[in-house]
Coordinates of all heavy atoms in Angstrom, one line a residue:
Chain S
K261 N 19.0 -6.5 17.7 CA 19.5 -6.0 19.0 C 19.6 -4.4 19.0 O 19.1 -3.7 19.9 CB 20.7 -6.6 19.4 CG 21.0 -6.5 20.8 CD 22.3 -7.3 21.1 CE 23.2 -6.5 22.1 NZ 24.6 -6.8 22.0
N262 N 20.2 -3.9 17.9 CA 20.5 -2.5 17.8 C 19.3 -1.6 17.4 O 19.1 -0.5 17.9 CB 21.6 -2.2 16.7 CG 22.9 -2.8 17.3 OD1 23.1 -2.9 18.5 ND2 23.9 -3.0 16.4
Y263 N 18.5 -2.1 16.6 CA 17.4 -1.3 15.9 C 16.0 -1.8 16.1 O 15.1 -1.2 15.8 CB 17.6 -1.0 14.5 CG 19.1 -0.5 14.2 CD1 20.0 -1.3 13.4 CD2 19.6 0.7 14.7 CE1 21.3 -0.9 13.3 CE2 20.8 1.0 14.5 CZ 21.7 0.3 13.8 OH 23.0 0.8 13.6
G264 N 15.9 -3.0 16.6 CA 14.6 -3.6 16.9 C 14.0 -4.3 15.7 O 13.0 -5.0 15.8
Y265 N 14.5 -4.0 14.5 CA 14.0 -4.6 13.2 C 15.1 -4.8 12.3 O 16.2 -4.2 12.5 CB 12.8 -3.9 12.8 CG 13.1 -2.6 12.1 CD1 13.1 -2.4 10.8 CD2 13.6 -1.5 12.9 CE1 13.3 -1.1 10.2 CE2 13.8 -0.3 12.4 CZ 13.8 -0.1 11.0 OH 14.1 1.1 10.5
C266 N 14.8 -5.5 11.2 CA 15.9 -5.7 10.2 C 15.3 -5.9 8.8 O 14.4 -6.6 8.6 CB 16.6 -7.1 10.6 SG 18.0 -7.4 9.5
V267 N 15.8 -5.0 7.9 CA 15.3 -5.0 6.5 C 16.5 -5.5 5.6 O 17.6 -5.0 5.7 CB 14.9 -3.6 6.1 CG1 14.5 -3.5 4.6 CG2 13.6 -3.2 6.9
I268 N 16.2 -6.4 4.8 CA 17.1 -7.1 3.9 C 16.7 -7.0 2.5 O 15.6 -7.2 2.1 CB 17.2 -8.6 4.4 CG1 17.5 -8.8 5.8 CG2 18.1 -9.4 3.4 CD1 17.1 -10.1 6.5
G269 N 17.7 -6.7 1.6 CA 17.6 -6.7 0.2 C 18.4 -7.8 -0.3 O 19.6 -7.9 0.0
V270 N 17.8 -8.7 -1.1 CA 18.5 -9.9 -1.6 C 18.4 -10.0 -3.1 O 17.3 -9.8 -3.7 CB 18.0 -11.2 -0.9 CG1 16.5 -11.4 -1.0 CG2 18.8 -12.5 -1.3
S271 N 19.5 -10.4 -3.7 CA 19.6 -10.6 -5.2 C 19.0 -12.0 -5.5 O 19.2 -12.9 -4.8 CB 21.0 -10.5 -5.6 OG 21.1 -11.2 -6.9
E272 N 18.2 -12.0 -6.5 CA 17.7 -13.3 -7.0 C 18.8 -14.3 -7.3 O 18.7 -15.5 -7.3 CB 16.8 -13.2 -8.2 CG 17.6 -12.5 -9.4 CD 16.8 -12.4 -10.8 OE1 15.9 -13.2 -10.9 OE2 17.2 -11.7 -11.6
G273 N 20.0 -13.8 -7.5 CA 21.1 -14.6 -7.9 C 22.1 -15.0 -6.8 O 23.2 -15.4 -7.0
L274 N 21.6 -14.9 -5.5 CA 22.4 -15.3 -4.4 C 22.8 -16.7 -4.5 O 21.9 -17.6 -4.7 CB 21.6 -15.0 -3.0 CG 22.3 -15.2 -1.8 CD1 23.4 -14.2 -1.6 CD2 21.4 -15.2 -0.6
R275 N 24.0 -17.1 -4.2 CA 24.5 -18.4 -4.3 C 25.0 -19.0 -2.9 O 25.6 -18.1 -2.2 CB 25.5 -18.6 -5.4 CG 25.0 -18.4 -6.7 CD 26.3 -18.1 -7.6 NE 25.9 -17.7 -9.0 CZ 25.8 -18.6 -10.1 NH1 26.1 -19.9 -9.9 NH2 25.5 -18.2 -11.3
N276 N 25.0 -20.3 -2.8 CA 25.6 -20.9 -1.6 C 27.1 -21.3 -2.0 O 27.5 -21.0 -3.1 CB 24.8 -22.1 -1.1 CG 24.7 -23.2 -2.1 OD1 25.5 -23.3 -3.0 ND2 23.7 -24.0 -2.0
K277 N 27.8 -21.9 -1.0 CA 29.2 -22.1 -1.2 C 29.5 -23.1 -2.4 O 30.6 -23.2 -2.8 CB 29.9 -22.5 0.1 CG 29.4 -23.8 0.7 CD 30.2 -24.0 2.0 CE 29.9 -25.4 2.7 NZ 28.6 -26.0 2.4
D278 N 28.5 -23.9 -2.7 CA 28.6 -24.8 -3.8 C 28.3 -24.2 -5.2 O 28.3 -24.8 -6.2 CB 27.7 -26.0 -3.7 CG 27.9 -26.7 -2.3 OD1 29.1 -26.9 -1.9 OD2 26.9 -27.2 -1.7
G279 N 28.1 -22.8 -5.1 CA 27.8 -22.1 -6.4 C 26.4 -22.2 -6.8 O 26.0 -21.8 -8.0
Q280 N 25.6 -22.9 -6.0 CA 24.1 -23.1 -6.4 C 23.3 -21.9 -6.0 O 23.5 -21.3 -5.0 CB 23.7 -24.4 -5.6 CG 22.4 -24.9 -6.1 CD 21.9 -26.1 -5.2 OE1 22.3 -26.2 -4.1 NE2 21.1 -27.0 -5.7
F281 N 22.4 -21.6 -6.9 CA 21.4 -20.6 -6.6 C 20.6 -21.0 -5.4 O 20.0 -22.1 -5.4 CB 20.4 -20.2 -7.8 CG 21.1 -19.5 -8.9 CD1 21.1 -20.1 -10.1 CD2 21.8 -18.3 -8.7 CE1 21.6 -19.3 -11.3 CE2 22.3 -17.6 -9.7 CZ 22.2 -18.2 -11.0
L282 N 20.5 -20.1 -4.4 CA 19.6 -20.5 -3.2 C 18.2 -20.7 -3.6 O 17.5 -21.5 -3.0 CB 19.6 -19.3 -2.2 CG 20.5 -19.8 -0.9 CD1 22.0 -19.7 -1.2 CD2 20.1 -18.9 0.2
S283 N 17.7 -20.0 -4.7 CA 16.4 -20.1 -5.1 C 16.1 -21.5 -5.8 O 14.9 -21.9 -5.8 CB 16.1 -19.0 -6.2 OG 16.9 -19.2 -7.2
E284 N 17.2 -22.3 -6.0 CA 16.9 -23.5 -6.5 C 17.5 -24.7 -5.6 O 17.6 -25.8 -5.9 CB 17.7 -23.7 -7.9 CG 17.1 -22.9 -8.9 CD 17.9 -22.8 -10.2 OE1 19.0 -23.4 -10.3 OE2 17.5 -22.0 -11.1
S285 N 17.6 -24.2 -4.3 CA 18.2 -25.1 -3.4 C 17.3 -26.0 -2.6 O 17.6 -26.5 -1.5 CB 19.1 -24.3 -2.4 OG 18.3 -23.5 -1.5
G286 N 16.1 -26.3 -3.1 CA 15.4 -27.3 -2.4 C 13.9 -27.1 -2.1 O 13.3 -27.9 -1.3
M287 N 13.4 -25.9 -2.4 CA 11.9 -25.7 -2.0 C 11.1 -26.6 -2.9 O 11.2 -26.6 -4.2 CB 11.6 -24.3 -2.2 CG 10.3 -23.9 -1.6 SD 10.2 -24.0 0.2 CE 11.2 -22.7 0.7
R288 N 10.2 -27.4 -2.4 CA 9.4 -28.3 -3.2 C 7.9 -28.2 -2.9 O 7.6 -27.8 -1.7 CB 9.8 -29.8 -2.9 CG 11.2 -30.1 -2.9 CD 11.6 -31.2 -3.8 NE 13.0 -31.0 -4.2 CZ 13.5 -31.1 -5.4 NH1 12.6 -31.3 -6.5 NH2 14.8 -30.9 -5.7
D289 N 7.1 -28.3 -3.9 CA 5.7 -28.3 -3.6 C 5.3 -29.7 -3.1 O 6.0 -30.6 -2.9 CB 4.9 -27.8 -4.8 CG 4.9 -28.8 -5.9 OD1 5.4 -30.0 -5.7 OD2 4.5 -28.5 -7.0
A290 N 3.9 -29.8 -2.9 CA 3.4 -31.0 -2.2 C 3.7 -32.2 -3.0 O 3.7 -33.3 -2.5 CB 1.9 -30.9 -1.9
F291 N 3.9 -32.0 -4.3 CA 4.1 -33.2 -5.2 C 5.7 -33.4 -5.4 O 6.0 -34.3 -6.2 CB 3.5 -32.9 -6.6 CG 2.1 -32.4 -6.5 CD1 1.8 -31.1 -6.6 CD2 1.0 -33.3 -6.2 CE1 0.4 -30.6 -6.5 CE2 -0.3 -32.8 -6.1 CZ -0.6 -31.5 -6.2
G292 N 6.5 -32.7 -4.7 CA 7.9 -32.9 -4.8 C 8.5 -32.2 -6.0 O 9.7 -32.4 -6.2
H293 N 7.7 -31.3 -6.6 CA 8.3 -30.6 -7.7 C 9.1 -29.4 -7.2 O 8.7 -28.7 -6.2 CB 7.2 -30.0 -8.6 CG 6.3 -31.0 -9.2 ND1 4.9 -30.9 -9.1 CD2 6.5 -32.1 -10.0 CE1 4.4 -32.0 -9.7 NE2 5.3 -32.7 -10.2

Side-chain angles (χ1 to χ4, degrees):
Chain S
K261 197 178 141 208
N262 290 338
Y263 309 114
Y265 70 110
C266 181
V267 174
I268 301 158
V270 57
S271 162
E272 60 173 344
L274 187 67
R275 291 166 189 260
N276 62 23
K277 64 181 185 335
D278 303 322
Q280 192 185 23
F281 286 123
L282 252 76
S283 59
E284 292 170 1
S285 67
M287 193 63 72
R288 313 236 155 229
D289 68 14
F291 312 100
H293 301 128

